[in-house]
Amino acid sequence: MTTSISGRIAVVGAGVIGLSVAWRAAVAGHHVTLIDPAPASGASWVAGGMLAPVSEAWHGEEDLLALGVAALERWPGFAEQLRETTGREPGLRTDGTLVVAVDSADLAQLDDLAGHLGKLGHHADRKTGRELRKQEPALGPAIRGGLWLPQDLSVDNRALLATLQQACATAGVTLRETAAHTVSAERVELADGSTIRCGQAVIAAGAWSGRLHPALAGRVRPVKGEVLRLRARRGALPPPTTTVRGTVEGRPVYFVPRADGGLVLGATQYEAGFDTDVQVAGVRDLLRDGERVLPAISEYALLESNAGLRPGSPDNLPIVERLEPGLIAATGHFRNGFLLAPITADKVLELLS
Ligand code: GLY
């Protein structure tokens, strides 16, 4: 049976958002083409995979916190559906998150976060440095105190991407491994000169979304982040079982453990256009601050250093909306692409119906 053009969906971008949208749309019965010259790469490949709206909360970002909490509630069902569909483990970890502080200014910031969360009805358990080291023996003596947030989770970004790719293939998504040049209502112009005509196009191209349609130009900007991947060597203290976030003299740092014994250490954050070089200074800062939190990493193997481009938006909230008839945006997820993937896919499905 041939599908009319009006029944076809073209999703531009095969990062975590585009893959999630394409999978869900195909399962819902749409005929989906997914367009990306390098699927499952870029920021999605580099990411730490924290699903941590509560520990990420900040003053003035109450809408983002509420959206993140709603997104987190959908994660167990999203992961289970992927597991059932593919027989693969999508990499969801439910071990919780510790937020730790090193100096007295970091501790004051933590108290501020706890107070802010309390006012919004989110409980955070305060812990002394000693209690934290009992829970996670790899934490160093510099840690002065922290918060325990069992509700904040994580996902192995690469396991999830592989699972989503398989789920898309099983659901009949057609993959076009080529770049999109421009996207407009009901059509995608490809860099190879060909055109895909469709009933609705979805721009899910992360930091590059602003280059694809004038309505997104200036609304989505790249925000660079450098991330390291480590592995404990024989004889070294094992990595923590929970996500550990901290501030070291005001600089944020986080560790996200993986089931295979790996440890992701992130992340720098700065605006450098579309530059994805890993700078020496970025690696130095991450290792120096990371060692204050987990001294044992000095004995770990350094496996990878990468830089990704987060798709920043003016208010840090994602842009998931109809731009014009036949054209939807699903972008601007900034630091929260993995967290917001299930709720974004649901919202795009609503917009498609
Ligand atoms: N989600 C954490 C980061 O963007 O570094």
Side-chain angles (χ1 to χ4, degrees):
M1 194 180 77
T2 54
T3 308
S4 69
I5 283 178
S6 64
R8 291 175 186 267
I9 310 294
V11 179
V12 178
V16 66
I17 298 295
L19 285 164
S20 300
V21 166
W23 170 50
R24 277 285 168 84
V27 169
H30 296 283
H31 184 104
V32 182
T33 302
L34 181 60
I35 301 146
D36 195 311
S41 66
S44 294
W45 181 252
V46 172
M50 286 187 294
L51 310 175
V54 179
S55 55
E56 186 99 354
W58 201 237
H59 299 281
E61 295 199 330
E62 289 75 18
D63 288 350
L64 185 57
L65 173 61
L67 179 67
V69 169
L72 192 54
E73 281 168 10
R74 297 184 195 208
W75 255 95
F78 184 75
E80 186 50 37
Q81 202 182 338
L82 277 170
R83 207 177 277 119
E84 275 171 14
T85 305
T86 63
R88 293 178 76 116
E89 181 42 58
L92 178 65
R93 267 183 94 118
T94 55
D95 302 86
T97 297
L98 284 171
V99 188
V100 303
V102 169
D103 69 12
S104 51
D106 300 329
L107 210 51
Q109 190 174 322
L110 209 71
D111 284 341
D112 188 30
L113 173 64
H116 177 62
L117 289 173
K119 277 191 217 138
L120 297 171
H122 296 283
H123 179 67
D125 247 353
R126 284 166 198 260
K127 300 262 184 189
T128 63
R130 187 186 293 249
E131 287 169 334
L132 290 168
R133 279 183 286 278
K134 202 164 165 206
Q135 184 170 342
E136 288 293 355
L139 289 171
I143 302 299
R144 302 266 300 269
L147 301 176
W148 169 228
L149 296 166
Q151 64 273 54
D152 273 5
L153 313 180
S154 72
V155 66
D156 181 330
N157 61 318
R158 295 178 182 178
L160 184 82
L161 292 169
T163 310
L164 279 169
Q165 284 179 291
Q166 189 178 320
C168 281
T170 305
V173 172
T174 304
L175 183 62
R176 288 285 299 266
E177 291 195 46
T178 182
H181 189 253
T182 51
V183 187
S184 52
E186 301 177 8
R187 62 196 295 143
V188 180
E189 309 290 345
L190 299 177
D192 65 13
S194 59
T195 300
I196 294 181
R197 300 206 42 226
C198 55
Q200 314 214 47
V202 181
I203 299 178
W208 284 269
S209 301
R211 290 184 166 179
L212 294 174
H213 191 276
L216 294 173
R219 285 180 78 192
V220 183
R221 67 184 199 288
V223 183
K224 181 174 173 178
E226 287 146 328
V227 175
L228 308 179
R229 281 176 157 76
L230 316 176
R231 180 178 37 76
R233 295 184 335 129
R234 197 197 300 256
L237 216 50
T241 54
T242 66
T243 297
V244 176
R245 310 182 67 144
T247 42
V248 179
E249 292 157 11
R251 292 177 299 272
V253 64
Y254 57 77
F255 290 95
V256 194
R258 295 290 189 246
D260 64 0
L263 187 62
V264 181
L265 165 54
T268 58
Q269 182 168 312
Y270 40 101
E271 314 238 349
F274 286 86
D275 170 35
T276 52
D277 281 345
V278 177
Q279 267 185 261
V280 171
V283 176
R284 178 201 63 208
D285 289 354
L286 286 173
L287 290 175
R288 181 196 57 215
D289 294 342
E291 269 192 270
R292 297 284 298 283
V293 176
L294 292 181
I297 63 165
S298 60
E299 294 176 54
Y300 285 23
L302 174 57
L303 303 181
E304 286 183 41
S305 61
N306 299 293
L309 300 174
R310 307 171 180 95
S313 72
D315 55 5
N316 296 341
L317 282 163
I319 300 163
V320 185
E321 62 191 38
R322 184 173 292 291
L323 295 177
E324 54 180 300
L327 181 60
I328 292 165
T331 186
H333 292 79
F334 190 35
R335 296 175 59 91
N336 296 299
F338 279 82
L339 171 64
L340 299 178
I343 204 164
T344 299
D346 289 348
K347 177 78 195 291
V348 172
L349 268 192
E350 276 170 33
L351 292 169
L352 287 172
S353 61

